[in-house]
Amino acid sequence: MVVRVETKDDLAVVTIDNPPVNAASQAVRAGLLAAIAETEANTTAKAVILCAEGRTFTAGADVREFDKQPMPPHLPDVIQAIEDTTKPWIAALHGSVLGGGLEIALGCSHRVALRSTRFGLPEVTLGLIPGAGGTVRLPRLIDPLEALNMVTSGKPISAATALNLGLIDDIADGDVMACAIALARKTANARTRTALRHRDAKPVEDPAAWEAAKTRIISKARGALAPVAAARAVQTALDLPADQAQIQEREAFLTLKSDPQSAALRYIFFAERSASKLPELKGVEPHQLTSIGVIGGGTMGAGIAAACLLAGLPVTLAERDEAARSAGQLRITAILENSRKRGLIDQGKLDALTAALSTTTTFEALTETDLIIEAVFEDMDVKTQVLQELDKHIRRDAILASNTSYLDINAMAARTKHPERVIGLHFFSPAHIMKLVEVIIPDEAAPSVVAAGFALARKLGKIAVPASVCDGFIGNRIMSAYRRECEYMVEDGALPWDVDRAMRDFGFPMGVFEMQDLAGLDIRWAKRKSQAATRDPAQRYVHIADKLCEARRFGRKTGQGWYDYAGGKTTPSQWVENLVLAESARKKIARTPISDAEIVQRILSTMQAEAQALLTEGIARRPEGIDVVMVNGYGFPRWCGGPMFLKNHPSVD
Ligand code: T1G
Ligand code: NAD
């Protein structure tokens, strides 16, 4: 029974039980209709409490149903039936009350929640808008600007914020059912509240702020349809009576649901959850993870340490000397302090996390640590020396993980005493914010060690994608390939700012040349110089980036790179244009214009070719994993699904 009805004295309790997230499937919707009829007929029940089993109240519609023929009863009808009951319905909420789950709760007359509950309308993240009255009822309950932000951002709010906004009536610190029962007794016998759909929308307090918010939403959308449709739906909810507005909401929802963008977003939603599921790890017990060591407190080490602390894991940071130890500690505490300033943690939590961090300049302190991540310089000798030193101190069942971006972890593991306990955990900068981790599986790694890598990623709330060892793993290898193609195009006829414009218009947050200026051109220049002797002379090589570096044009940090950065402005550089034209002439290339469409097509084709090679070589397991990497680590527009999704669904872009 996915919905059951019980009687508790003079109350009825309706419980949804549809693991894992109590999604509002067809069976749940039918069960709720039956529960409405049963509780209405129950003459002893003076009020109804609606709750759910498991880790969360209904977290939304069952997204897996969206690719099938819609089956009645439809959620808007179920919610309206709840609203039309003669008895008060009190929603007792916990977990993540999202999408259709929040819409169901809005159909109830009252709402109480556990303090840890989150509320949201994340439909836009799936290329949709709420389709069961969320855009109509919410601005009739809370401030319309707050409603607009919730609907268009898809971001959840806390129970405390929900209470402040008037979205819920009360918060329970322990037993949400007791809280609901108390409220039910107060409201029993009659529905004292007007159903939301019979209320007028709340007034817009500040019209200028309202218009500014809508303008910002549209400009931020870049190419995504859903946020714009969501803003339009909330505006309609203010302009029209609820029933008319809800008809338009449903039409917009159904239109978006059949749009390729939503198909892409639903694809990536499930791909992010399936990418880390490896058949060979089924039933494998991961090593315990109760304490983490981080070697190197630089950019990455500090971010990784902070991510582990924020996930509740104590961390020991080891640096090479006192000055670096102190600097690393400061970086970590600065990250934690910023989390406090952003309201992610309170002062008490900050103090506890700071106490969970210990720092040292030796490895003796790591003798009881479960997993140690090295984030030292990107140099094979330095990393090998660190791992070999760690071998002398750590437990036999401790795990060694490298955060290297490119280096051969098979070779690294081979130089340690126990290669089977070595893996790669390729975090992305900033490591405490970026969700993606590439879990690199060397040839000798033991399954329980690999399982621990995925378990740590899950513990940190990261999205983990498996990769085997190669130069650049999945993301960096694909990026190197399309960056090379972009430099070919600059030599062939485009200018760097043409390429960047085309990429931005396609939906990337920035172009590949802007990105290089941001990261610094010198890092890859050093790598190119180290590989010069072994470079394949037959492969086309573009010297333009080298010449920029020879001129000390390293990007933003030197005020000049592919662009000029004088006065805080990003300006196409005449110096670079002259260099590009001179290089094309030197190589006797007859430059021809390249359209934005062709620029994008050449980038996509290069990505897809490199991705296919990764699959053929067995470096990447499935196309879905490659798309998850490119969307979550390299700015590939999420509403296009990823290069491999686009390859099979060309209509999206
Ligand atoms: N439908 C179907 N399956 C879902 C699902 C959903 N809405 N949400 C999660 N799952 C599956 C997921 O694929 C995974 O499956 C398992 O549940 C655990 O998920 C009408 C139209 C709730 C915060 O967008 O944000 O309502 O891999 O690994 O980390 O207007 O799941 O185990 O086989 O993510 O604890 C709106 C989406 C839908 C919420 C829990 N709702 N879900 O996170 O577990 S559209 C959403 C989440 C809608 C209405 C509109 C998260 C979570 P498997 P998980 P988690
Ligand atoms: P960084 O230079 O900021 O930090 C490296 C740290 O390692 C320094 O603090 C240094 O003192 C410390 N260190 C060096 N030798 C040591 C030793 N023997 N013992 C202890 N500490 C030592 O470098 P970073 O950007 O943090 O990169 C670290 C690693 O992470 C590299 O392998 C890099 O390729 C990888 N990575 C970097 C990024 C990025 O965007 N920066 C992204 C992913 C992975």
Side-chain angles (χ1 to χ4, degrees):
M1 287 279 281
V2 291
V3 176
R4 67 174 184 273
V5 180
E6 292 151 309
T7 303
K8 198 180 185 72
D9 306 328
D10 59 349
L11 301 175
V13 178
V14 175
T15 306
I16 300 169
D17 185 7
N18 182 31
V21 297
N22 288 312
S25 64
Q26 191 279 337
V28 167
R29 300 192 300 271
L32 284 172
L33 272 194
I36 291 165
E38 185 176 338
T39 52
E40 285 293 281
N42 176 342
T43 52
T44 59
K46 303 289 180 282
V48 179
I49 294 175
L50 174 63
C51 60
E53 291 285 7
R55 59 171 134 164
T56 180
F57 186 76
T58 296
D62 186 337
V63 179
R64 295 187 195 282
E65 288 183 357
F66 288 170
D67 296 323
K68 302 170 192 160
Q69 187 59 27
M71 293 285 287
H74 300 301
L75 195 55
D77 302 330
V78 174
I79 293 168
Q80 184 163 319
I82 293 174
E83 253 187 348
D84 292 346
T85 53
T86 58
K87 299 168 181 160
W89 275 56
I90 292 90
L93 306 168
H94 72 293
S96 301
V97 182
L98 302 174
L102 179 51
E103 291 173 303
I104 290 170
L106 290 173
C108 296
S109 54
H110 299 74
R111 288 154 291 278
V112 298
L114 269 183
R115 189 168 298 281
S116 55
T117 309
R118 300 185 314 160
F119 298 85
L121 290 169
E123 286 85 342
V124 291
T125 66
L126 297 172
L128 304 166
I129 65 168
T135 66
V136 177
R137 289 190 176 87
L138 197 59
R140 282 166 169 73
L141 182 62
I142 68 173
D143 172 75
L145 192 55
E146 296 292 346
L148 181 69
N149 290 336
M150 280 185 76
V151 175
T152 57
S153 72
K155 289 194 171 67
I157 61 173
S158 66
T161 303
L163 185 66
N164 289 340
L165 294 177
L167 180 60
I168 59 176
D169 300 283
D170 201 355
I171 284 182
D173 282 309
D175 179 355
V176 69
M177 278 303 281
C179 182
I181 289 168
L183 184 55
R185 299 229 182 283
K186 276 189 217 151
T187 60
N189 293 321
R191 206 181 237 282
T192 52
R193 280 184 176 174
T194 308
L196 287 174
R197 78 172 192 281
H198 297 321
R199 296 186 201 178
D200 293 335
K202 290 191 175 282
V204 171
E205 297 299 336
D206 180 345
W210 176 263
E211 291 308 320
K214 289 197 298 177
T215 306
R216 188 176 57 252
I217 289 156
I218 291 164
S219 66
K220 260 183 72 181
R222 289 213 305 270
L225 300 172
V228 178
R232 192 180 308 120
V234 177
Q235 182 64 62
T236 303
L238 304 188
D239 300 341
L240 296 181
D243 291 350
Q244 291 175 39
Q246 192 159 350
I247 289 168
Q248 295 200 22
E249 174 198 75
R250 189 75 184 166
E251 284 168 4
F253 163 72
L254 293 173
T255 303
L256 287 168
K257 186 159 76 83
S258 61
D259 187 279
Q261 277 198 11
S262 182
L265 286 163
R266 300 193 314 255
Y267 157 82
I268 204 75
F269 172 84
F270 288 113
E272 288 169 340
R273 286 153 178 80
S274 63
S276 57
K277 291 186 171 69
L278 302 189
E280 66 270 30
L281 295 185
K282 201 167 175 59
V284 173
E285 196 52 41
H287 284 216
Q288 68 162 9
L289 290 174
T290 55
S291 58
I292 301 294
V294 175
I295 315 300
T299 305
M300 293 308 288
I304 294 166
C308 293
L309 289 165
L310 287 163
L313 290 165
V315 171
T316 301
L317 170 74
E319 257 286 1
R320 54 186 168 153
D321 57 41
E322 178 48 33
R325 181 205 64 74
S326 169
Q329 183 169 29
L330 282 174
R331 284 189 199 97
I332 296 167
T333 46
I335 291 171
L336 297 178
E337 172 57 24
N338 190 42
S339 297
R340 184 196 65 76
K341 280 186 188 145
R342 289 169 57 211
L344 300 175
I345 56 175
D346 60 21
Q347 187 58 50
K349 185 74 174 170
L350 173 59
D351 297 341
L353 297 183
T354 307
L357 169 66
S358 54
T359 60
T360 175
T361 57
T362 70
F363 293 167
E364 274 75 16
L366 298 166
T367 52
E368 284 314 306
T369 307
D370 294 327
L371 186 148
I372 299 95
I373 303 168
E374 68 78 13
V376 300
F377 299 136
E378 184 70 351
D379 176 289
M380 182 60 98
D381 293 339
V382 173
K383 290 185 183 296
T384 303
Q385 191 274 329
V386 164
L387 295 182
Q388 289 171 341
E389 184 64 20
L390 284 167
D391 263 341
K392 298 173 189 167
H393 299 279
I394 64 176
R395 280 200 332 255
R396 176 66 186 82
D397 65 340
I399 293 168
L400 289 174
S402 170
N403 180 50
T404 181
S405 300
Y406 288 89
L407 299 175
D408 181 343
I409 302 181
N410 279 325
M412 233 181 264
R415 298 176 189 174
T416 67
K417 266 199 291 194
H418 306 292
E420 73 284 356
R421 69 172 175 188
V422 179
I423 54 170
L425 289 176
H426 182 220
F427 291 89
F428 287 75
S429 183
H432 61 291
I433 291 176
M434 292 290 280
K435 301 277 283 178
L436 181 66
V437 179
E438 286 177 314
V439 178
I440 314 308
I441 307 172
D443 301 340
E444 303 297 317
S448 59
V449 170
V450 175
F454 283 102
L456 177 63
R458 226 177 357 264
K459 175 85 176 163
L460 301 182
K462 300 287 185 183
I463 297 168
V465 177
S468 295
V469 174
C470 77
D471 185 9
F473 314 130
I474 296 175
N476 279 347
R477 177 161 148 185
I478 290 177
M479 183 170 72
S480 298
Y482 82 76
R483 184 169 47 204
R484 204 166 35 241
E485 184 64 20
C486 291
E487 290 180 2
Y488 293 162
M489 285 192 274
V490 166
E491 221 173 38
D492 291 346
L495 288 170
W497 23 97
D498 297 329
V499 173
D500 286 350
R501 179 190 61 249
M503 288 185 72
R504 276 180 180 273
D505 290 348
F506 177 73
F508 284 90
M510 68 172 71
V512 67
F513 295 104
E514 297 167 294
M515 188 173 59
Q516 289 177 56
D517 274 357
L518 195 58
L521 276 64
D522 47 333
I523 299 165
R524 282 187 57 247
W525 186 39
K527 187 168 184 312
R528 288 197 302 273
K529 285 192 287 185
S530 70
Q531 293 173 335
T534 56
R535 185 163 44 237
D536 176 1
Q539 185 177 46
R540 179 178 178 183
Y541 186 79
V542 177
H543 296 81
I544 297 171
D546 293 345
K547 293 181 180 296
L548 291 182
C549 292
E550 286 153 18
R552 318 304 294 169
R553 292 178 70 102
F554 292 144
R556 282 179 179 274
K557 58 186 171 185
T558 54
Q560 293 176 318
W562 292 99
Y563 294 81
D564 291 333
Y565 295 96
K569 282 178 59 187
T570 301
T571 315
S573 161
Q574 189 58 58
W575 188 93
V576 169
E577 182 168 344
N578 296 340
L579 170 64
V580 166
L581 300 178
E583 275 298 286
S584 300
R586 183 175 70 82
K587 292 192 174 178
K588 298 184 176 30
I589 293 170
R591 291 178 64 81
T592 52
I594 305 176
S595 71
D596 285 13
E598 187 183 347
I599 288 171
V600 169
Q601 194 44 53
R602 281 176 65 168
I603 289 171
L604 290 178
S605 305
T606 304
M607 285 182 172
Q608 289 158 356
E610 200 66 30
Q612 190 52 56
L614 285 165
L615 291 167
T616 307
E617 294 167 30
I619 304 295
R621 299 295 180 86
R622 299 198 303 267
E624 290 83 350
I626 293 171
D627 286 339
V628 170
V629 167
M630 295 314 290
V631 163
N632 286 287
Y634 296 81
F636 198 95
R638 191 179 178 85
W639 60 86
C640 293
M644 297 309 275
F645 181 84
L646 265 190
K647 186 176 177 184
N648 304 321
H649 302 78
S651 62
V652 174
D653 65 326

